[in-house]
Amino acid sequence: MRYMLLLLFVVGCTKQNPNLCCTDEVDCANVGLEEVKGCNEGLLCRGNQCIAEVCGGSEECDADAPYCIAPPDGRCQQSCTDDGECPGAGESATSLFCEAGTCVECRTNEQCGTATPVCDAGACRACLRNDECASGICGREGACVLETAISYASPGGSAVSNCTPNEPCTLTRALNVANEFVLLRPGTYQQTQPLTVAGRRSLVGEGNNRPTIQNTLTGPVFKLSFAADVTMENIEIFGATTGANGTGHGVEVAGGSVKLSVTNSMFRNNEASGIEAGQANVEAFDSVFTGNGAGVRSSSGRGTFERCAVIANSNGLNLDAEVFVVRNNFIARNTNKGLEIFPSAPGNIVEFNTIVDNSVGVSCIFSNGLPETPFPNNLIVRNGVNTTGGTICTYPNSIITNVVADVRFVSPDTAPFDYHIQDGSIAIGGAGTTTLMLDFDGDPRPMTGADVGADELP
């Protein structure tokens, strides 16, 4: 009995060593600790003891305290205090700057390289927007384009300058200089002849207000030559008229094998078409087509149209031959046909569009022998004729109705004719399963139970 009492007394008086530490479950079990126990600032866990380790550089430290504080302290600790302590033990060799106690890759864009030119939260990344680049243009692969590779144009530019940032030139001259990129300063560019574009070219409008390009005589504003590879971003193409100098297209494809990609641009009041695509491969994203004879007319090409507003043209999208992707668009108030599609090959996608108040909503005419093609999750409302065509075209999980009140558009009958949906709309939750992540406005869509049409109610 006396022995047992003595044993209890000894056990009860045992005190844990305050310098005891462990790094993982196995290590902790070996020294009788129930959970991982680290050390205070400035100490390292060595042999399950917290000790102050003297160092000559951060490479001598470890992940528990990766930064070597400069002499006279010469200790490894958990936070850096100076750039000279970077990178810490185990960190990337590019983490050269101490910020808020941690070594990071950059503080400013100037500390990043050309391939990843933007400093974001201490890390260098590719550019996403033009305004992230000092030159004014973010290139196709996410690197800022050098000023020497850009022709700078302005409405009052010189016809003989070198098209530099300080001495911009006319748009005509900018297109004749052998640079892939053309940056258009804000304002209105009034041309007296069509602008011919050949080769690989990128036209980018500067600023929040799109620069406007107009041919004040007759004919197209732009003509794209054979095999041209052209991008247009943040520009407005306006007011082309038909006459002795040609047909009034905003952009006319004058040769075959052309690629045209349009982003955040407007095609307005062009007498013939906003884009006369011919045999081109055309992409249009986040753009507006309004007041044109046709928003886009493709006679024998292919194309992709996403998040576009195709409003108040004579014809909206007239797409003939090959394969087209048409999704997340508002197609409304076109006086003839909203979407006219004549595919001659399988694989066409028409989904999540709001097609409303056109004389004909969807005219779908497939070539004989093609399999049945579903056009799902479209909101087709109050068109003179909602859908026309053969039985090959089907509309699963779509809503086709003339009862506009049930759809609860924001403003379907008065300007500015807003066809976003409101609470109580029959479009809410009616779509089939989808992999489309975003709606017209960039709002997220759920994979199941999404809303029908271009707008996902937030």
Side-chain angles (χ1 to χ4, degrees), residues 108-244:
T108 66
N109 289 354
E110 289 71 25
Q111 294 162 343
C112 294
T114 55
T116 53
V118 179
C119 183
D120 186 355
C124 295
R125 63 163 172 82
C127 60
L128 302 175
R129 305 187 312 273
N130 292 323
D131 61 9
E132 292 180 328
C133 296
S135 67
I137 297 183
C138 174
R140 301 188 192 196
E141 280 74 46
C144 291
V145 179
L146 298 177
E147 287 185 359
T148 53
I150 302 172
S151 297
Y152 292 82
S154 74
S158 167
V160 295
S161 77
N162 291 324
C163 306
T164 62
N166 294 328
E167 295 183 351
C169 58
T170 64
L171 180 53
T172 299
R173 175 159 175 75
L175 289 170
N176 288 328
V177 174
N179 284 330
E180 176 183 342
F181 297 91
V182 177
L183 183 69
L184 286 76
R185 296 276 167 78
T188 300
Y189 295 76
Q190 293 188 323
Q191 308 297 131
T192 56
Q193 61 182 1
L195 292 159
T196 299
V197 185
R200 183 179 169 99
R201 307 304 290 268
S202 292
L203 283 70
V204 179
E206 182 182 60
N208 295 326
N209 295 321
R210 299 183 183 103
T212 300
I213 306 109
Q214 178 184 15
N215 180 359
T216 59
L217 298 181
T218 58
V221 180
F222 286 97
K223 296 183 73 171
L224 308 188
S225 300
F226 177 82
D229 182 356
V230 180
T231 64
M232 295 180 172
E233 180 178 353
N234 193 42
I235 63 175
E236 179 177 337
I237 298 174
F238 165 75
T241 57
T242 299

